[in-house]
Amino acid sequence: MNNIYKIITVAIGVLFLFYFIHLFDELPKINFRDFLRAVNWLYVGISLLAYLLSHALRALRIAILMGRQDYSLLKLVYLQYYTNGINLILPFKLGEVYRIIEFNKIIKDNNKLVLTVIAEKTLDLLVLFIWAILAISFLGNGIVELK
C-alpha cells in the first residue's frame, strides 16, 4: 500500500510538471525557455544546498533540544524533510501540527515534543528578530531600492 501511495504521488508530480511546461509554452508574453537560460544555475544550486542543509540542521536541533540519544538521526532528518513538505502544502500552520504528530511517532513523549517545538519556534523568532535589527542598523531605516 505504501508503494502504491509513492507511485501515485510521483505520477501526480510528473503530471503537474507537464501541465506547467505546457502552460508556459502557451503563454505568448513570457518566453519560458529564455527565462531559464537567464537563470544563474550556480545561485540556484547554492540556494538549494543551503535550504536542504538548513533543514538537516533543524533535525539536529530537535535532537539536541530533546536531549535523548535513543533514536536515529537519519530518521529525524528524513522526518524533517517529509514534514517540511507537508508544512508547505497545508495552510495556517497546520503543517506544524502534522509535524508534531509525525515526530511523536518516534519520540513518544508528546508534552516534551510540544515544548521542544515551541522552543524551536521561539529560537527561530529570536534569530530572525536579531537579524532584522542588525539589517536595520547597518542599512539604516531609509527605503532601500532593490534591483
Side-chain angles (χ1 to χ4, degrees):
M1 184 67 179
N2 195 14
N3 288 335
I4 294 172
Y5 175 74
K6 288 179 183 179
I7 291 170
I8 290 172
T9 55
V10 168
I12 289 172
V14 169
L15 287 174
F16 271 110
L17 181 65
F18 283 129
Y19 172 75
F20 282 114
I21 288 172
H22 180 69
L23 180 70
F24 281 119
D25 283 341
E26 289 184 0
L27 290 174
K29 294 180 181 177
I30 298 174
N31 191 344
F32 192 61
R33 287 185 176 84
D34 288 340
F35 176 74
L36 286 178
R37 284 189 205 110
V39 170
N40 188 340
W41 292 104
L42 178 65
Y43 290 158
V44 171
I46 291 171
S47 300
L48 180 63
L49 183 66
Y51 179 76
L52 293 174
L53 180 66
S54 72
H55 282 288
L57 290 176
R58 287 186 77 194
L60 181 63
R61 184 173 64 178
I62 276 264
I64 291 171
L65 286 173
M66 288 301 294
R68 289 180 28 199
Q69 304 293 324
D70 60 341
Y71 40 78
S72 168
L73 185 60
L74 289 176
K75 182 70 173 175
L76 286 177
V77 170
Y78 168 77
L79 267 181
Q80 177 62 38
Y81 287 132
Y82 174 68
T83 56
N84 181 59
I86 300 298
N87 198 5
L88 293 173
I89 294 170
L90 294 178
F92 309 119
K93 289 296 188 180
L94 291 174
E96 290 298 327
V97 174
Y98 183 76
R99 184 169 174 241
I100 291 172
I101 291 169
E102 284 297 317
F103 272 93
N104 197 35
K105 291 177 183 176
I106 292 178
I107 296 173
K108 301 204 185 326
D109 187 358
N110 197 20
N111 293 334
K112 192 170 184 179
L113 180 63
V114 169
L115 289 175
T116 301
V117 169
I118 291 172
E120 181 186 32
K121 291 298 172 187
T122 304
L123 285 172
D124 288 345
L125 180 67
L126 287 174
V127 167
L128 289 174
F129 185 70
I130 290 169
W131 285 356
I133 295 296
L134 288 174
I136 291 170
S137 300
F138 288 124
L139 298 175
N141 56 0
I143 297 175
V144 178
E145 183 177 343
L146 300 175
K147 294 182 181 180

